[in-house]
Amino acid sequence: MDVKRNIYSQFRQPHGPLGHVAGWIMARRRSNIERNLWTLDLLDLQPGQNVLEVGHGPGIALRYLLQQHADLRATGIDHSATMHRHAARRNRSDLAAGRLELLVGTVERCHGSLGTFDRIFSTNVAQFWEDATATLATLRTLLTPGGMIATTYMPRHAGATGADTDAFADRLVGQATSAGFVDVRPVFRDFDGLRTVCVLAS
């Protein structure tokens, strides 16, 4: 039980040997891959845009993003040095080509050096934000006029139900509105039989 609990805690900030296990799971779990692809589809990506992923994990979303959109540039930020190494290995060619930048840190600490973005997204990260309204407000300052943010959440804790997703969606919609976003709307889909939400905002 302690081992299982320790592995689960790694999804907040992977580190050490168990962090590599968490990264391996995130990169290979089917629902995780599908959830990332769904989020990218909802972003309505356009040629020439600059995209930021918050909490890039092992870098699978960035890989799909850059493979599917040859004319985009992307930045990923994650507070885990372990995930930074995973993402750098998985996306080494795009890093070498200058299409991708990876940063270790948090949005709150690094926002001054991040620049601006047309699209920002995160997948199963928002539940770890200590002050989601403040984080969203910071992300809003990084968006270009007319930009869009997509924040996806799928509950993974034991006994999770669709009610957990709905409650999280309600909170996140309120937090995004308080942070100054407009046109805030939740979109729902099931993965592995579990209700998942992506909150979109402009």
Side-chain angles (χ1 to χ4, degrees):
M1 181 63 70
D2 288 339
V3 172
K4 184 176 181 180
R5 187 182 300 114
N6 288 337
I7 291 175
Y8 181 80
S9 71
Q10 289 288 332
F11 292 95
R12 182 183 184 97
Q13 186 173 11
H15 61 277
L18 287 179
H20 288 288
V21 173
W24 187 91
I25 292 172
M26 285 187 278
R28 288 161 179 80
R29 179 183 282 158
R30 181 175 57 84
S31 62
N32 192 40
I33 295 171
E34 293 176 347
R35 196 169 61 238
N36 277 282
L37 291 175
W38 177 58
T39 304
L40 293 178
D41 285 342
L42 291 172
L43 282 173
D44 187 28
L45 294 164
Q46 303 297 319
Q49 289 184 328
N50 197 19
V51 182
L52 171 68
E53 181 178 14
V54 180
H56 60 64
I60 58 171
L62 292 170
R63 183 185 65 184
Y64 287 116
L65 170 71
L66 294 170
Q67 284 178 345
Q68 295 175 1
H69 301 275
D71 49 3
L72 296 183
R73 293 191 71 258
T75 299
I77 186 168
D78 200 296
H79 62 178
S80 166
T82 300
M83 290 300 94
H84 175 84
R85 291 191 291 272
H86 277 241
R89 287 196 299 268
R90 184 163 279 109
N91 296 279
R92 61 173 65 90
S93 61
D94 287 312
L95 283 169
R99 298 184 62 215
L100 174 64
E101 181 180 14
L102 294 176
L103 302 172
V104 178
T106 64
V107 169
E108 291 82 0
R109 292 184 179 180
C110 300
H111 71 276
S113 60
L114 282 170
T116 57
F117 301 90
D118 304 291
R119 298 289 187 267
I120 298 174
F121 74 99
S122 66
T123 306
N124 266 34
V125 172
Q127 68 267 33
F128 299 126
W129 293 339
E130 293 184 4
D131 186 338
T133 302
T135 298
L136 288 164
T138 299
L139 291 173
R140 186 174 61 83
T141 67
L142 302 179
L143 273 178
T144 58
M148 179 191 296
I149 186 170
T151 308
T152 296
Y153 170 72
M154 176 182 179
R156 302 300 306 187
H157 58 273
T161 67
D164 296 308
T165 304
D166 292 341
F168 188 89
D170 288 343
R171 288 196 305 273
L172 192 59
V173 166
Q175 291 160 342
T177 302
S178 296
F181 285 97
V182 297
D183 192 23
V184 183
R185 59 189 179 93
V187 181
F188 295 93
R189 179 174 167 179
D190 284 359
F191 292 97
D192 285 350
L194 194 56
R195 190 165 166 86
T196 300
V197 65
C198 180
V199 173
L200 301 171
S202 303

